[in-house]
Amino acid sequence: MLTIYRVGDRATKKAPADRFTGDVYQDEVLVGAAPSRMRATNVTFNPGARTAWHRHPVGQTLWAVSGIGRVQVEGGPVEELRPGDTAVIPPDARHWHGAAPDSIFTHLAMSETGDDGGGTEWFEKVSDADYSG
C-alpha cells in the first residue's frame, strides 16, 4: 500500500544538546517498517554546529542539500561537503558531520539499523580542535 506523509504531518525537532554542538534541526523523512531497516532525516545545522562522534552498524550516507558542511571519519582529514556531494561512511566508522563555521548546512542523512535492530551509537562531543582539523 502506498503511504504519503504530507508536509506538516511531522514537526521539525530540535536535536538533543547531549548529541550535538550548536543549534541543529531535524525533519524526519522516513523510518522504515519491516522488512525495511532504512532511516532518513533531513538535518539543518547552524554555522559551526555539528554532531558528536558516533557510528552506525551498517554505515551512513549523507547527501548535501545546501550550504557548506564538514565531515570526518576518525583518523582521517576533515572534508568539506557542498550541495550535491555524497559522503559514504563505512559501517561502524566513528565520525562526525556538521556545518562550516560561516555557513548553514543541510544534508539528508540515510542509514539502516543493524541485524540486531541496533542503530546509532553516540560518543563524546567533537572538540574545537577536531572540528577545525
Side-chain angles (χ1 to χ4, degrees), residues 25-51:
Y25 301 91
Q26 301 170 317
D27 290 292
E28 180 181 288
V29 175
L30 173 71
V31 176
S36 174
R37 300 184 308 179
M38 176 59 69
R39 180 175 191 93
T41 306
N42 206 44
V43 186
T44 300
F45 299 84
N46 277 353
R50 56 199 180 262
T51 68

Side-chain angles (χ1 to χ4, degrees), residues 54-57 60 111 118-122:
H54 62 287
R55 66 180 172 202
H56 307 273
Q60 184 177 44
S111 62
T120 307
E121 184 178 2
W122 292 96

Side-chain angles (χ1 to χ4, degrees), residues 17-86:
D18 61 329
R19 296 178 178 172
F20 294 83
T21 297
D23 290 330
V24 179
Y25 301 91
Q26 301 170 317
D27 290 292
E28 180 181 288
V29 175
L30 173 71
V31 176
S36 174
R37 300 184 308 179
M38 176 59 69
R39 180 175 191 93
T41 306
N42 206 44
V43 186
T44 300
F45 299 84
N46 277 353
R50 56 199 180 262
T51 68
W53 287 101
H54 62 287
R55 66 180 172 202
H56 307 273
V58 188
Q60 184 177 44
T61 301
L62 307 174
W63 185 66
V65 175
S66 63
I68 308 298
R70 293 182 172 184
V71 60
Q72 181 184 29
V73 171
E74 190 171 48
V78 174
E79 300 282 356
E80 184 175 88
L81 293 174
R82 293 187 170 269
D85 289 350
T86 301

